[in-house]
């Protein structure tokens, strides 16, 4: 604790020693003191000043994944790949597109030593919900949200738990009490869409799923939700873009399901191809980079890497991401929000 206090008191300069001190403080808070939430805050503060700290992105991807904050985890995993940290396990997690807790054993170790940490309680609440123990999950989530009301994964999980328990009045109370800023949470929009669809408010459900995809086009369930409700509304043409992306996301996830280590050259090449079709150019480059390591000197692979060197520039990347996002192709903002 004394070392952590010392590191955090050092001036927040831009020199290597200052950066290393803050990084060390974050590591001690998590790995030695089991204070995950404080460690995350230190790492995020470091990235605000120095956003290209690759190892910090890698650590945050792992820590967020431990407690089930997958949207936050993937943002940092993607940044780590962009900065050149091409790790197979990170690419696999991005491709799998999973939800829930990544490492329940590590979560259990940390929780046992610090059960009051809000992020660790969130992780256990997600595990409880996945196991069908909705009452325990709800109790944990309400305690977490008293401390961290803008922890959007916790808010979304509570909303889903209330739906599962068919607590309509409590759900409405939850919806009405959401803090400002929830509009940028794809997780919350997804839950609002599930509620609206269950209540047969299909236009509202379509708006919610559209909003979720607008922010996170890689949410498979949000894309499939948009397809369902648009087809039910007789808007089959507008559902096509969402179905296309859902199919590609499913293909990518199936590659991981069939080959969890994804070490075969042909499957890595397929992962690269599908990632590129999804507009996820850095991941496509990352898979091709791994193929090149295993098959050095292959002219076709070298040509593909050179092609990526030409397109991996901010303007092209943003244009590609926008063009591949169904919510940029279809405008459902005229449907009412819940």
């Amino acid at each position: 604790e004394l070392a952590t206090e010392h590191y955090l008191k050092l001036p927040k300069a831009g020199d290597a020693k200052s950066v290393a001190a803050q990084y060390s403080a974050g590591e001690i808070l998590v790995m030695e003191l089991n204070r995950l939430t404080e460690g995350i805050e230190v790492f995020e503060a470091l990235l605000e000043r120095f956003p290209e700290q690759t190892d910090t992105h890698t650590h945050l991807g792992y820590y967020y994944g431990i407690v089930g904050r997958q949207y936050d985890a993937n943002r940092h995993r993607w940044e780590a790949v962009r900065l050149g940290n091409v790790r197979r396990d990170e690419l696999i997690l991005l491709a799998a597109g999973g939800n829930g807790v990544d490492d329940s054993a590590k979560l259990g170790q940390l929780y046992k030593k610090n059960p009051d940490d809000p992020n660790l309680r969130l992780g256990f609440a997600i595990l409880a919900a996945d196991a069908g123990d909705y009452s325990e999950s709800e109790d944990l989530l309400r305690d977490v949200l008293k401390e961290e009301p803008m922890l959007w994964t916790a808010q979304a999980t509570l909303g889903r738990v209330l739906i599962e328990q068919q607590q309509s009045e409590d759900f409405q109370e939850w919806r009405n009490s959401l803090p400002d800023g929830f509009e940028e949470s794809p997780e919350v929009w997804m839950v609002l869409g599930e509620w609206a669809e269950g209540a047969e408010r299909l236009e509202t459900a379509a708006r919610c799923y559209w909003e979720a995809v607008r922010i996170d086009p890689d949410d498979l369930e949000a894309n499939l939700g948009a397809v369902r409700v648009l087809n039910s509304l007789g808007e089959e043409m507008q559902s096509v873009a969402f179905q296309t992306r859902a199919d590609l996301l499913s293909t990518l996830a199936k590659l991981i399901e069939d080959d969890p280590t994804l070490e075969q050259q042909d499957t890595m090449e397929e992962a690269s191809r599908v990632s590129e079709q999804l507009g996820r150019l850095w991941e496509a480059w990352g898979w091709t980079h791994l193929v090149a390591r295993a098959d050095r000197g292959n002219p076709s692979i070298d040509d593909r890497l050179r092609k990526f060197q030409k397109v991996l520039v901010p303007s092209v990347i943003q244009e590609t991401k926008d063009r591949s996002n169904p919510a940029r192709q279809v405008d459902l903002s005229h449907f009412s929000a819940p």
Side-chain angles (χ1 to χ4, degrees):
E1 290 192 17
L2 290 173
T4 304
E5 290 177 9
H6 171 70
Y7 289 144
L8 292 176
K9 286 179 181 177
L10 289 175
K12 301 297 187 294
D15 59 276
K17 289 183 178 179
S18 173
V19 172
Q22 193 166 2
Y23 181 86
S24 297
E27 279 290 86
I28 292 171
L29 283 165
V30 178
M31 304 309 296
E32 301 296 333
L33 301 178
N34 309 295
R35 287 151 54 181
L36 180 65
T37 295
E38 292 176 68
I40 284 173
E41 290 172 354
V42 169
F43 280 130
E44 289 286 13
L46 177 58
L47 287 175
E48 284 182 10
R49 296 185 298 121
F50 307 105
E52 299 204 344
Q53 287 292 312
T54 309
D55 288 344
T56 304
H57 284 295
T58 300
H59 277 67
L60 282 172
Y62 175 64
Y63 295 147
Y64 282 134
I66 286 176
V67 299
R69 294 175 61 178
Q70 293 298 338
Y71 176 66
D72 295 311
N74 285 338
R75 288 189 297 108
H76 290 287
R77 290 166 181 153
W78 184 86
E79 282 295 325
V81 173
R82 183 183 69 82
L83 293 167
N85 188 15
V86 184
R87 288 174 34 177
R88 188 184 308 277
D89 58 339
E90 297 287 343
L91 288 170
I92 286 172
L93 287 167
L94 285 166
N99 294 307
V101 170
D102 284 340
D103 190 341
S104 58
K106 184 61 179 178
L107 172 63
Q109 292 172 9
L110 292 169
Y111 183 80
K112 185 176 181 180
K113 295 176 180 179
N114 188 6
D116 293 329
D117 187 288
N119 273 284
L120 298 175
R121 279 183 286 161
L122 166 61
F124 261 81
I126 292 172
L127 289 179
D130 289 344
D133 193 344
Y134 300 124
S135 179
E136 179 183 355
S137 181
E138 181 181 348
D139 289 343
L140 284 166
L141 290 165
R142 290 194 182 280
D143 284 342
V144 167
L145 291 169
K146 287 178 184 175
E147 297 179 43
E148 303 284 349
M150 296 179 73
L151 191 50
W152 302 121
T153 304
Q155 290 283 8
T157 307
L158 177 57
R160 184 166 287 115
V161 164
L162 295 174
I163 291 173
E164 292 291 344
Q165 296 179 99
Q166 298 182 338
Q167 297 181 12
S168 299
E169 291 185 7
D170 287 345
F171 183 90
Q172 288 292 349
E173 182 180 344
W174 166 79
R175 163 64 187 93
N176 294 334
S177 64
L178 282 170
D180 291 342
F182 83 86
E183 296 88 354
E184 290 306 311
S185 168
E187 299 163 299
V188 172
W189 278 116
M190 183 65 198
V191 173
L192 291 170
E194 291 172 354
W195 167 80
E197 186 177 4
E200 298 185 353
R201 296 175 56 181
L202 297 185
E203 290 190 354
T204 297
R207 168 68 181 275
C208 294
Y209 291 137
W210 176 81
E211 292 281 7
V213 173
R214 175 183 64 81
I215 304 165
D216 182 11
D218 297 318
D219 188 322
L220 173 59
E221 295 305 319
N223 279 282
L224 290 174
V227 172
R228 280 195 310 274
V229 295
L230 285 171
N231 286 342
S232 295
L233 289 166
E235 300 286 355
E236 289 85 357
M237 291 296 294
Q238 294 201 79
S239 75
V240 170
F242 298 96
Q243 184 66 66
T244 299
R245 190 164 189 90
D247 290 343
L248 288 170
L249 290 169
S250 296
T251 298
L252 194 56
K254 187 69 165 54
L255 288 174
I256 308 301
E257 182 182 332
D258 292 343
D259 181 11
T261 61
L262 218 62
E263 294 179 345
Q264 299 299 316
Q265 180 169 328
D266 59 340
T267 52
M268 286 192 287
E269 289 178 346
E270 177 69 359
S272 177
R273 183 186 68 79
V274 177
S275 296
E276 185 175 9
Q277 287 182 288
L278 286 164
R280 292 156 56 165
L281 298 181
W282 278 110
E283 290 166 66
W285 166 82
W287 285 116
T288 304
H289 186 76
L290 291 180
V291 173
R293 285 184 192 172
D295 190 6
R296 297 183 184 278
N298 185 318
S300 64
I301 297 171
D302 291 342
D303 287 345
R304 186 162 168 77
L305 284 175
R306 280 192 287 271
K307 185 195 81 168
F308 281 123
Q309 289 176 350
K310 296 178 181 178
V311 300
L312 289 174
V313 295
S315 60
V316 175
I317 290 170
Q318 189 59 52
E319 180 185 347
T320 303
K321 287 172 66 177
D322 289 345
R323 188 171 62 248
S324 62
N325 187 337
R328 302 286 184 177
Q329 303 170 36
V330 177
D331 185 6
L332 301 182
S333 61
H334 56 284
F335 287 148
S336 61

